[in-house]
Amino acid sequence: MRIEKFIAYLKELNADKAIYLLSNPVVNGGLEVWFQVELAIQTKCLMHNYVITREVTYPDDSQRCDLYCFNQGQPEEAYIELKCMNPFHAERCEGEFIHDIEKVRRLEKKLLTVVAKNKTIITVLCMLIYYGDVFSLKERLNVNLQNKYSDNIKEYQSIKSKIKTVQLFPGENLFLIYYGETYYFRGGI
């Protein structure tokens, strides 16, 4: 599934429920599971030939991805890492998102080599669903990336150039910050 489709599906989620859960200081867990289930339901309703499964092991690796999506009718699949954070628990946000980016980058080359032999479209994606002041979050994220990659400016710039932000619902402080890539192959590698 292409990144654009995920973004479109996110915009179809129940805005009131998402905002309530992500803006409530009492909610400190379960947001990712809730989101995984909601996205699976949304995907099944809109695209009957797509299947989303939680906590699937990456090919030829012991690590798991939060969501694995594949198209039953096409040679296409996606591996997704997911974080859902509200501003009351944001102190973990940047570090966990950067950790997921590093995980995907480590596995990306292996994944493309193993999977691309049979697939023509592969998406790797790290998503952060965030409710609150996205500008402060992006500034902190950028500082953390600069510190982490201070000895490798090229790597820092490569990662930074692939991080995008989308406002999910007009007039609301609910945002998707994502790092990802969709790869297209003809007949494998």
Side-chain angles (χ1 to χ4, degrees), residues 129-171:
I129 310 296
Y130 185 76
Y131 182 83
D133 181 2
V134 73
F135 301 107
S136 296
L137 174 65
K138 285 177 67 176
E139 190 174 297
R140 292 190 314 268
L141 184 61
N142 189 43
V143 167
N144 282 327
L145 281 170
Q146 281 178 329
N147 291 338
K148 186 151 195 78
Y149 294 97
S150 60
D151 59 340
N152 190 343
I153 193 72
K154 189 175 180 180
E155 189 79 5
Y156 160 74
Q157 289 172 338
S158 172
I159 293 170
K160 186 177 176 201
S161 71
K162 293 180 181 178
I163 295 176
K164 309 288 185 226
T165 304
V166 175
Q167 185 175 21
L168 293 177
F169 305 112

Side-chain angles (χ1 to χ4, degrees), residues 41 73-74 109 115 140-141 186:
I41 291 168
Q74 298 291 323
K109 189 171 187 173
V115 178
R140 292 190 314 268
L141 184 61
R186 294 181 185 206

Side-chain angles (χ1 to χ4, degrees), residues 9-174:
Y9 290 170
L10 289 173
K11 290 182 176 187
E12 294 294 324
L13 291 175
N14 182 318
D16 293 335
K17 189 187 300 183
I19 291 166
Y20 171 77
L21 289 170
L22 288 165
S23 65
N24 191 330
V26 185
V27 178
N28 187 19
L31 292 172
E32 288 177 28
V33 174
W34 164 78
F35 179 79
Q36 290 171 358
V37 170
E38 289 286 329
L39 186 59
I41 291 168
Q42 188 69 20
T43 300
K44 197 64 178 167
C45 289
L46 296 175
M47 300 291 286
H48 302 292
N49 55 332
Y50 280 95
V51 175
I52 291 185
T53 307
R54 296 180 53 239
E55 303 297 331
V56 171
T57 305
Y58 283 98
D60 286 357
D61 201 273
S62 61
Q63 292 193 29
R64 296 178 176 269
C65 63
D66 292 329
L67 290 171
Y68 168 69
C69 179
F70 67 95
N71 184 334
Q72 294 176 328
Q74 298 291 323
E76 177 181 3
E77 54 189 44
Y79 298 85
I80 302 164
E81 297 298 331
L82 172 67
K83 294 288 174 260
C84 293
M85 294 284 176
N86 62 30
F88 309 101
H89 307 99
E91 66 281 350
R92 304 185 327 254
C93 199
E94 307 93 40
E96 289 182 16
F97 187 58
I98 290 170
H99 175 77
D100 277 353
I101 290 172
E102 290 174 332
K103 178 180 176 181
V104 165
R105 287 176 66 88
R106 252 190 339 268
L107 295 168
E108 195 169 36
K109 189 171 187 173
K110 180 194 293 189
L111 182 66
L112 295 177
T113 302
V114 171
V115 178
K117 292 176 184 169
N118 303 316
K119 305 295 179 183
T120 54
I121 302 170
I122 300 168
T123 300
V124 289
L125 179 62
C126 294
M127 297 191 305
L128 170 61
I129 310 296
Y130 185 76
Y131 182 83
D133 181 2
V134 73
F135 301 107
S136 296
L137 174 65
K138 285 177 67 176
E139 190 174 297
R140 292 190 314 268
L141 184 61
N142 189 43
V143 167
N144 282 327
L145 281 170
Q146 281 178 329
N147 291 338
K148 186 151 195 78
Y149 294 97
S150 60
D151 59 340
N152 190 343
I153 193 72
K154 189 175 180 180
E155 189 79 5
Y156 160 74
Q157 289 172 338
S158 172
I159 293 170
K160 186 177 176 201
S161 71
K162 293 180 181 178
I163 295 176
K164 309 288 185 226
T165 304
V166 175
Q167 185 175 21
L168 293 177
F169 305 112
E172 297 291 346
N173 285 334
L174 188 60

